[in-house]
Amino acid sequence: MTLAQDSAARTAVVTGASSGIGAATARQLAAAGFRVVLTARRKDRIEALAAELTAAGHQALAYPLDVTDRAAVETFASTLGACHVLVNNAGGALGADPVASGDPAQWLRMYETNVLGTLHVTQCLLPALTASGDGTVVVLTSTAGHATYEGGAGYAAAKHAEHVLAETLRLEIVGQPVRVIEVAPGMVKTEEFSLTRFGGDEAKADKVYAGVAEPLTAEDVAETITWAVARPSHVNIDLLVLRPRAQASNTKVHREL
Ligand code: NAP
């Protein structure tokens, strides 16, 4: 199946659509009438989700893509055709060690995925987003992109950089028909985020959400993204921060233990 298809529907590309927030966002954008292009490294997962969405009467395609692979991103962009919305969601955290003992390789990997991944995909799709006459770039940062916490320096540094990318891009392309929307969630309980962060250690991953009555869900964030994207073209939601009620800051969390 070729990616460039004739369709009246507007096209939304979601990176990291194989799990969590990305998968939920793909579902909600499809339900909102977008033709969704699901990308992530795990082909089986995005193909299964695309099949599920197609069976439900939506338009969905899967395209395996590592956002850190510039050549692959360029090839993707050249085969995509029209693009109206890009959701830069691929990313995540690795480790929670203090600065004194943090692993530089994890810091580098987080920078490559969250920052350079967003840079590669945004740069390569910007011509199509602009040509659409009404494009939207969503950048999924985090509350870690706006304040730090102990053990969070590597992730917070990457998310701060991703925030700066979004803010600078908005300045640079003002006057062109492309919005730049940053969505910065606090604690979201997704099945893989904390497991990935702690190298598959379930006990450590569970501890992140211990006693928190209702962390945000992937669906909560997906709804927020879909709402922001669905505003009239002249309305740019620059930055939307959302947290669970039980979380007042990155370090102030109410736990019932
Ligand atoms: P998740 O379930 O672990 O999802 C991460 C997604 O990123 C996966 O689909 C993964 O797919 C993809 N990904 C990772 N590296 C990639 C690469 N090199 N190329 C392409 N795709 C890649 O985590 P999530 O909670 O949904 O997080 C999604 C985004 O929200 C991330 O940017 C994260 O930093 C941010 N966020 C999360 C939270 C939270 O508390 N969960 C809070 C604030 C912000 P593959 O492995 O299949 O490639």
Side-chain angles (χ1 to χ4, degrees):
M1 185 183 289
T2 161
L3 281 177
Q5 290 185 330
D6 288 338
S7 165
R10 286 158 58 79
T11 295
V13 171
V14 181
T15 69
S18 60
S19 65
I21 295 166
T25 301
R27 281 200 170 89
Q28 294 198 20
L29 288 175
F34 282 93
R35 166 182 174 259
V36 288
V37 179
L38 318 179
T39 74
R41 292 167 302 180
R42 285 170 295 177
K43 185 171 184 268
D44 52 339
R45 280 186 164 238
I46 51 173
E47 282 183 344
L49 180 51
E52 177 199 314
L53 292 172
T54 304
H58 303 305
Q59 294 188 65
L61 290 168
Y63 188 102
L65 184 68
D66 181 338
V67 294
T68 66
D69 182 342
R70 177 67 184 217
V73 175
E74 284 175 1
T75 302
F76 169 62
S78 69
T79 48
L80 180 64
C83 181
H84 302 81
V85 174
L86 164 62
V87 182
N88 284 299
N89 162 78
L94 292 173
D97 298 312
V99 172
S101 57
D103 178 355
Q106 288 187 331
W107 281 55
L108 182 60
R109 188 74 197 142
M110 286 188 279
Y111 196 88
E112 284 173 343
T113 308
N114 293 283
V115 189
L116 297 183
T118 295
L119 178 69
H120 292 320
V121 183
T122 303
Q123 280 186 341
C124 294
L125 296 194
L126 205 48
L129 289 159
T130 308
S132 77
D134 183 13
T136 300
V137 177
V138 178
V139 181
L140 231 296
T141 63
S142 167
T143 53
H146 297 266
T148 192
Y149 52 96
E150 290 150 290
Y155 181 56
K159 287 301 192 185
H160 273 69
E162 203 181 350
H163 157 66
V164 167
L165 184 161
E167 206 167 61
T168 309
L169 177 65
R170 193 181 304 114
L171 292 172
E172 291 170 347
I173 64 171
V174 70
Q176 295 178 35
V178 181
R179 300 181 291 185
V180 181
I181 297 172
E182 178 183 351
V183 175
M187 183 186 287
V188 191
K189 190 172 183 184
T190 53
E191 78 195 87
E192 296 187 349
F193 177 84
S194 291
L195 263 184
T196 303
R197 178 168 210 165
F198 295 111
D201 185 328
E202 282 188 27
K204 280 190 181 170
D206 289 347
K207 220 175 148 191
V208 172
Y209 313 104
V212 180
E214 278 182 286
L216 294 177
T217 64
E219 289 69 31
D220 293 327
V221 183
E223 261 176 35
T224 303
I225 293 169
T226 305
W227 174 83
V229 166
R231 291 314 85 215
S233 308
H234 68 289
V235 179
N236 196 128
I237 306 295
D238 281 10
L239 167 65
L240 212 154
V241 178
L242 66 157
R243 303 180 200 265
R245 190 173 61 192
Q247 185 185 32
S249 79
N250 288 350
T251 50
K252 183 84 178 172
V253 179
H254 179 70
R255 298 180 191 271
E256 289 175 8
L257 294 168

